[in-house]
Amino acid sequence: MLLYQIYILYSLCCNCGVSITPNPANMCIDCIRNEVDITEGIPKQCTLNFCRSCERYLQPPNLWVYCELESRELLALCLKRLKGLNKVRLINAQFIFTEPHSKRIKLQLTIQKEVFANTILQQVFVVTFLVCNQICGDCTDAAAKNTWRACVQVRQKVNHKRTFFFLEQLILKHNAQRDANNIKEAKDGIDFFYSQRSHAIKMLEFLQSVTPLRVKTSEQLLSADVHTGSKNYKFTYSCELIPICKDDLLCLPRKVAHNSSMIDQLCVCYKINNSIQVIDPNTMKLAEIRPQTYWTNPFSSLCSYQDLVEYYIIDVLEYGPRAGKFQQITVEVSLSNDFSNTFIARTHLGNILKPGDHAFGYNLASANFNHNVFEEYSKSNNVPDVVLIKKSYPSRRKRVRARQWKLKELAMEEENAGEKTKAEVAKAEQDYELFLRDIEEDPELRGMINLYKSKF
């Protein structure tokens, strides 16, 4: 058997004389650490600016970011505040638990650096960040009264608020109000106030994507520096919504009807998005009216939701063509409270109506309109006696029950809340109740907004 004897060579440290494994520095680990401090130039204590109002941290020079405690975002923010960290190699960084109310954030860092020829030293140390309170610019502007740089005024000249109830839910669903410093309720709409012009422009782009409108811009000079040529303005964006709503009966001008797929002038508005969607119940022709077309030749509704009358479907006489989700039928109807007179009507609601149902519609036989376009249209065309708009659910209205869902609302200031009359408050409550009924009856409308479970 061959025996191999291994000889391990040791040397002495040049400082303390301890026996060590030979290395290029010819020093032990303790002596190297005493001679060289690789953490030199890296501060052991630093400050972080924190806004208690919006719970954001300052990322120099002027950016405020939201970071949760012991998150990756907060770790990156802390490491960026340390100078001299780019001269060493960062191996590990982790938080050390501190009490949330202590206003201290501690990081344990592990770094490496080459100190002598082919000698790499690794060291672990702790950096303490002192959290200092500072109010950000946005919170300062929000705290000061009448301090804003851009305002978006949304208005619609109609006698109800159903459009704004729907627009409010769209804004909440997409969180489009997150940058607003303040929201105020106006007589015919809503005002949004912003500290930056870019936030107001972002809100305008969102409104233009969900509803047809036109925008007028105005600016007010606040201050000017003659030496640098810089100026400070306030911007106001006035948005006027088209005064046409869902389920309105329209009598289009002849030019608008010809430009909209040659549709008949008497039609029904069945949907509003970034344009007006209309349908002709007699021919089942669909058309789209763009906002530019409307503002070139503006027109008003012939009938609105307050003119709706409830009818009873006696019988379905004939089925007609289909157009998308709509089915044309010819029905015999009578007023729900008067069965002595019957009417023959064509409607696009064949997919949901059957004998014995109830439906809301407009009674044109006994109506008197002060509408120049409709007067010209009635001279050369046969006007139907009844135009059915949507299905009615009288059993649901009579059933007294609490809804299992609810809607969120914008946190807005009411204008002259104490000066509203009882009639105005009752009218607003009635409009809101009708909007809730539309949500219950229209599955497509329910899919466009967020519903929340109601707690009982």
Side-chain angles (χ1 to χ4, degrees):
M1 179 181 295
L2 296 177
L3 296 178
Y4 294 92
Q5 186 174 4
I6 301 175
Y7 294 93
I8 301 177
L9 298 179
Y10 291 95
S11 63
L12 300 179
C13 176
C14 63
N15 284 346
C16 62
V18 176
S19 178
I20 62 172
T21 304
N23 59 65
N26 199 23
M27 297 172 64
C28 64
I29 298 299
D30 295 334
C31 292
I32 292 178
R33 288 178 178 174
N34 292 332
E35 292 289 335
V36 181
D37 183 14
I38 63 174
T39 64
E40 186 179 2
I42 302 176
K44 306 303 186 294
Q45 188 172 355
C46 193
T47 59
L48 285 178
N49 296 322
F50 177 73
C51 179
R52 291 186 296 179
S53 299
C54 59
E55 297 183 353
R56 294 186 299 175
Y57 293 89
L58 175 62
Q59 181 176 336
N62 54 5
L63 179 62
W64 291 84
V65 294
Y66 176 77
C67 303
E68 295 184 357
L69 290 176
E70 299 189 3
S71 63
R72 297 178 60 183
E73 293 79 9
L74 183 58
L75 179 61
L77 179 62
C78 294
L79 294 178
K80 289 180 180 178
R81 298 300 305 272
L82 296 179
K83 297 180 180 179
L85 201 60
N86 57 345
K87 297 180 181 180
V88 296
R89 181 181 180 185
L90 181 63
I91 301 301
N92 186 28
Q94 61 183 8
F95 288 98
I96 299 177
F97 175 77
T98 57
E99 293 293 339
H101 61 273
S102 65
K103 296 297 182 181
R104 299 290 190 277
I105 297 177
K106 292 186 178 181
L107 283 184
Q108 180 178 323
L109 304 181
T110 304
I111 60 174
Q112 287 182 354
K113 185 178 181 181
E114 185 177 357
V115 292
F116 297 108
N118 299 325
T119 302
I120 297 177
L121 182 63
Q122 179 173 311
Q123 192 168 345
V124 180
F125 65 103
V126 177
V127 180
T128 303
F129 292 86
L130 178 63
V131 180
C132 301
N133 294 328
Q134 178 183 345
I135 302 178
C136 65
D138 295 339
C139 294
T140 303
D141 295 340
K145 295 183 178 179
N146 300 325
T147 302
W148 49 272
R149 290 293 175 266
C151 175
V152 178
Q153 299 176 344
V154 187
R155 300 289 186 271
Q156 187 183 36
K157 297 179 181 179
V158 293
N159 57 357
H160 62 84
K161 293 187 176 182
R162 294 168 62 201
T163 302
F164 286 100
F165 290 142
F166 176 63
L167 186 60
E168 179 183 12
Q169 298 305 314
L170 289 180
I171 292 174
L172 288 171
K173 180 177 181 179
H174 298 278
N175 198 20
Q177 84 290 356
R178 61 184 178 274
D179 297 324
N181 291 340
N182 192 17
I183 304 175
K184 288 186 178 181
E185 180 183 6
K187 181 180 179 181
D188 297 325
I190 308 175
D191 294 341
F192 299 88
F193 298 92
Y194 298 91
S195 59
Q196 298 182 20
R197 184 186 180 187
S198 59
H199 295 162
I201 295 176
K202 187 186 299 183
M203 185 64 176
L204 284 178
E205 294 175 351
F206 170 77
L207 293 175
Q208 290 174 344
S209 66
V210 298
T211 183
L213 52 84
R214 65 175 175 180
V215 181
K216 293 183 180 179
T217 305
S218 61
E219 57 186 29
Q220 178 185 359
L221 179 63
L222 298 180
S223 60
D225 190 346
V226 296
H227 300 287
T228 61
S230 61
K231 298 180 181 179
N232 190 12
Y233 288 94
K234 273 188 176 181
F235 297 90
T236 302
Y237 300 94
S238 179
C239 306
E240 183 180 357
L241 304 184
I242 289 179
I244 305 296
C245 302
K246 183 176 177 290
D247 299 334
D248 284 0
L249 182 64
L250 308 178
C251 188
L252 306 177
R254 187 184 299 272
K255 184 177 181 180
V256 175
H258 285 188
N259 293 337
S260 304
S261 305
M262 295 294 292
I263 196 172
D264 190 68
Q265 291 181 252
L266 192 65
C267 56
V268 176
C269 175
Y270 69 91
K271 186 178 181 181
I272 294 285
N273 42 33
N274 56 359
S275 61
I276 305 174
Q277 309 288 334
V278 296
I279 184 173
D280 180 12
N282 293 320
T283 62
M284 297 301 293
K285 184 177 290 187
L286 304 174
E288 179 184 20
I289 303 176
R290 305 296 299 175
Q292 297 82 359
T293 304
Y294 175 84
W295 294 117
T296 304
N297 295 282
F299 55 89
S300 59
S301 300
L302 189 63
C303 296
S304 189
Y305 85 102
Q306 65 268 20
D307 303 318
L308 289 173
V309 181
E310 191 175 36
Y311 290 90
Y312 178 76
I313 309 299
I314 299 176
D315 191 14
V316 177
L317 304 178
E318 183 183 358
Y319 287 89
R322 298 183 63 91
K325 64 178 181 179
F326 301 109
Q327 168 74 52
Q328 186 189 64
I329 57 172
T330 303
V331 295
E332 183 181 3
V333 300
S334 65
L335 293 172
S336 296
N337 55 2
D338 183 12
F339 292 91
S340 58
N341 296 326
T342 61
F343 305 93
I344 304 298
R346 283 184 178 178
T347 179
H348 57 288
L349 305 176
N351 56 334
I352 56 176
L353 289 182
K354 60 182 183 297
D357 288 342
H358 292 74
F360 283 116
Y362 298 115
N363 188 358
L364 304 185
S366 58
N368 186 12
F369 300 106
N370 185 16
H371 199 279
N372 296 331
V373 178
F374 180 74
E375 291 179 1
E376 297 178 1
Y377 173 81
S378 60
K379 292 178 182 179
S380 57
N381 297 275
N382 294 326
V383 179
D385 296 332
V386 175
V387 178
L388 299 181
I389 298 298
K390 63 178 182 178
K391 186 177 180 179
S392 173
Y393 300 88
S395 59
R396 293 184 182 179
R397 296 196 302 271
K398 294 179 181 179
R399 189 189 314 163
V400 179
R401 62 180 179 87
R403 292 185 174 92
Q404 302 297 323
W405 52 271
K406 62 180 181 179
L407 301 174
K408 285 187 177 181
E409 297 180 358
L410 286 174
M412 66 177 72
E413 297 181 9
E414 295 186 8
E415 184 183 31
N416 302 327
E419 300 179 2
K420 290 185 178 180
T421 62
K422 293 184 178 180
E424 293 176 347
V425 175
K427 180 66 168 54
E429 293 178 353
Q430 180 185 4
D431 292 341
Y432 189 69
E433 177 63 25
L434 292 175
F435 174 66
L436 296 181
R437 291 180 185 178
D438 289 342
I439 295 176
E440 291 179 331
E441 299 169 2
D442 192 349
E444 184 179 358
L445 183 60
R446 287 199 300 272
M448 300 175 65
I449 63 178
N450 289 336
L451 302 180
Y452 300 89
K453 187 176 181 179
S454 180
K455 298 180 180 179
F456 294 98

